[in-house]
Amino acid sequence: DAGVTQSPTHLIKTRGQQVTLRCSPKSGHDTVSWYQQALGQGPQFIFQYYEEEERQRGNFPDRFSGHQFPNYSSELNVNALLLGDSALYLCASRNSRTGRLVGTEAFFGQGTRLTVV
Amino acid sequence: KQEVTQIPAALSVPEGENLVLNCSFTDSAIYNLQWFRQDPGKGLTSLLLIQSSQREQTSGRLNASLDKSSGRSTLYIAASQPGDSATYLCAVPSGSRLTFGEGTQLTVNP
């Protein structure tokens, strides 16, 4: 059973460029969340997708946008990259059908390391 | 707003020691609490999920406790091994998001 998979694993972009990160949830999971983790800090919630809609959003600017596809996979897009966007981007999935949306175990991918130069 | 704090920020112990990692949260109205392990530059591995109705959850050498009323959770690691060296993070749900502490960086010396 494949867990949460993210691509690419590493990425280097230039300031001002745009980037797309991809996530495939664990088999049977329908809800995907994205987190940003700066070095030495805990992950910070960006947004969550369920039924192809953004359900909740953290304190991130509109430069951060996302999408969820009918097969539950998801993309995170960041426009007009800043040096401060350099971080590990983590995708998490959970199964909303086994209980309340907030009560089930979250599984994380290995992350995408984004470096903005 | 939920805030999560982990103490200590870093811990270095000799192999074989039993140790306790602490996590505190400000809003006790939580459904569960999850402990994760993170190796350098890697993603998060779920260790234990403890529901609000439970007081303890065990997996191998790991034992997590939850006291909602005091806003605290502890992760107990028995007979620590060098392979336990990693950062340990606790997280609580706030709505449909997880709020994380900043983690405890554990080093187990052979």
Side-chain angles (χ1 to χ4, degrees), chain A residues 25-81:
Chain A
K26 182 178 169 64
S27 178
H29 286 190
D30 58 357
T31 302
V32 173
S33 299
W34 288 92
Y35 291 81
Q36 180 195 67
Q37 187 179 25
L39 201 61
Q41 298 184 15
Q44 298 293 316
F45 176 78
I46 303 174
F47 42 54
Q48 181 185 77
Y49 277 85
Y50 170 64
E51 292 185 335
E52 301 180 48
E53 291 188 12
E54 183 182 297
R55 298 292 176 169
Q56 193 172 4
R57 188 179 183 91
N59 189 25
F60 281 80
D62 292 344
R63 298 187 297 110
F64 289 77
S65 63
H67 188 76
Q68 186 178 35
F69 299 94
N71 67 352
Y72 308 121
S73 66
S74 177
E75 289 182 349
L76 165 65
N77 301 292
V78 186
N79 294 322
L81 285 167

Side-chain angles (χ1 to χ4, degrees), chain A residues 35 37 42-43 45 48 56-58 88 90 94 100-106 108-110, chain B residues 31-32 34 36 38 41-44 46 49 51 89 93-98 100-102:
Chain A
Y35 291 81
Q37 187 179 25
F45 176 78
Q48 181 185 77
Q56 193 172 4
R57 188 179 183 91
L88 181 68
L90 296 164
R94 55 163 33 114
R100 287 179 298 185
L101 194 64
V102 298
T104 54
E105 187 173 7
F108 281 76
Q110 288 301 296
Chain B
Y31 295 106
N32 59 49
Q34 199 165 353
F36 294 90
Q38 185 173 34
K42 303 296 185 182
L44 306 184
S46 179
L49 172 72
Q51 300 288 356
L89 294 149
S94 306
S96 53
R97 71 179 70 183
L98 288 175
F100 285 84
E102 294 201 342

Side-chain angles (χ1 to χ4, degrees), chain B residues 3 10-11 14 16 25 27-28 30 40 43-44 47 53 64 67 72 75 78 82 91 93 97 107-110:
Chain B
E3 293 182 2
L11 185 62
F25 45 93
D27 184 352
S28 62
I30 61 171
L44 306 184
L47 296 174
S53 58
D67 184 344
R72 293 179 183 176
L75 179 66
R97 71 179 70 183
T107 303
V108 181
N109 301 299

